[in-house]
Amino acid sequence: MKRLIYLALSLALLFACTSCVGKAAVLPAEAVPTAAQPPEPEEVPEEEPPAPPEPEEPYVRVIDPAKPMVALTFDDGPDTACSDQILDILEEHHALATLFEVGRNVAACPEPVGRMVELGCEVGSHSNAHKDLSKLRKSSLLRDLDTADEAFVLAGAPAPLLVRPPYGAVNKTVKPATGRAMVTWTVDTEDWRSRDAQKVIDYVQSYGALDGEIILMHSIYESTVEAVRVLVPWLQEQGYQLVTVTELMAYYYGELPQPDHFYGYTY
């Protein structure tokens, strides 16, 4: 009898332990520890793209006859290095000039001539071979100028009406018998002689009143390029409009250049 009682108690105790172990092994889902989860990333609002810049107003060039004006002129080009640098300066400052180019140089280096025309600069002839025109017979003189004209047309410029005779040399044939207007200058910087930018700058800045003047330089020297880099903005700061020779004649002197006329050192 006692054995039966002990057996019953042992079985009851065994079932009770088994029940506890089973309950301890099964935990509710919310009680099971889990790995730490990264925080949800915050939503960043998309930035609006910047507004496009306002388009610049196109520059409109206007000549005021009541304001001072001066004509910058350049001889002996075009030059592969210097011509474009001078045109860069003129374009940056909305300025124009007259460039008297040598025909054989135009044939060898035509690109700057097309750009001169696009910018609105005036392209004149400085003969074809830079000879003293006053020493040529009329037939040779006309042949030289016609050959230069062909080079200008091929480079994209009209055949020039204006001619600056090399060395400023003219005679009774050159002045009235070419079908073109002969134009010299009124202010000679002698940049070809000094090859010194500061001397050219000093000469122009100390000249005095420049209203109505035609300034001579040469577009084949780096020293002239450096002088132009200073003189163009300086002239504008002094109130001068930088115009072409034809514009100067029209607005300042009240006439247009005429064929077979000579416009000399005092105009």
Side-chain angles (χ1 to χ4, degrees), residues 203-217:
Y203 181 77
V204 174
Q205 291 184 342
S206 64
Y207 187 85
L210 291 165
D211 190 19
E213 303 290 351
I214 299 174
I215 299 176
L216 168 62
M217 290 182 280

Side-chain angles (χ1 to χ4, degrees), residues 28-257:
E30 59 270 15
V32 178
T34 58
Q37 297 295 321
E40 290 292 328
E42 294 184 7
E43 290 188 5
V44 179
E46 293 184 6
E47 293 185 5
E48 293 185 5
E54 291 290 330
E56 291 186 8
E57 290 291 329
Y59 177 77
V60 178
R61 185 169 176 269
V62 178
I63 300 173
D64 186 346
K67 292 183 179 180
M69 60 187 73
V70 63
L72 297 180
T73 65
F74 299 91
D75 289 5
D76 290 356
D79 178 82
T80 53
C82 297
S83 291
D84 272 326
Q85 293 183 72
I86 290 172
L87 294 176
D88 287 344
I89 297 165
L90 295 173
E91 183 176 13
E92 178 184 355
H93 296 281
H94 303 295
L96 297 184
T98 300
L99 300 104
F100 292 97
E101 308 291 48
V102 176
R104 63 186 179 187
N105 293 347
V106 172
C109 180
E111 292 81 6
V113 176
R115 186 180 175 200
M116 294 167 197
V117 174
E118 289 177 3
L119 293 179
C121 289
E122 185 169 43
V123 181
S125 176
H126 198 39
S127 82
N128 186 62
H130 205 278
K131 294 180 179 179
D132 184 338
L133 301 184
S134 68
K135 295 181 179 180
L136 299 181
R137 293 183 178 181
K138 183 176 179 180
S139 58
S140 299
L141 164 62
L142 294 177
R143 186 163 51 250
D144 179 277
L145 296 178
D146 289 343
T147 302
D149 286 353
E150 291 173 6
F152 285 108
V153 172
L154 288 174
L161 169 64
L162 301 186
V163 175
R164 173 165 285 164
Y167 318 108
V170 294
N171 60 11
K172 62 183 180 181
T173 302
V174 176
K175 286 182 180 180
T178 65
R180 300 159 172 90
M182 293 288 157
V183 178
T184 55
W185 55 85
T186 62
V187 178
D188 187 355
T189 64
E190 295 194 342
D191 58 337
W192 61 271
R193 187 189 300 274
S194 69
R195 312 282 179 94
D196 186 317
Q198 195 57 52
K199 284 186 178 180
V200 174
I201 294 166
D202 292 343
Y203 181 77
V204 174
Q205 291 184 342
S206 64
Y207 187 85
L210 291 165
D211 190 19
E213 303 290 351
I214 299 174
I215 299 176
L216 168 62
M217 290 182 280
H218 296 78
S219 58
I220 57 174
Y221 306 117
E222 286 288 348
S223 55
T224 298
V225 173
E226 295 311 309
V228 171
R229 203 179 304 282
V230 173
L231 288 174
V232 166
W234 179 82
L235 286 165
Q236 291 178 329
E237 289 166 5
Q238 305 307 304
Y240 292 106
Q241 302 170 93
L242 299 184
V243 298
T244 67
V245 167
T246 296
E247 289 172 342
L248 182 75
M249 292 176 66
Y251 288 98
Y252 191 87
Y253 293 104
E255 65 173 305
L256 291 172

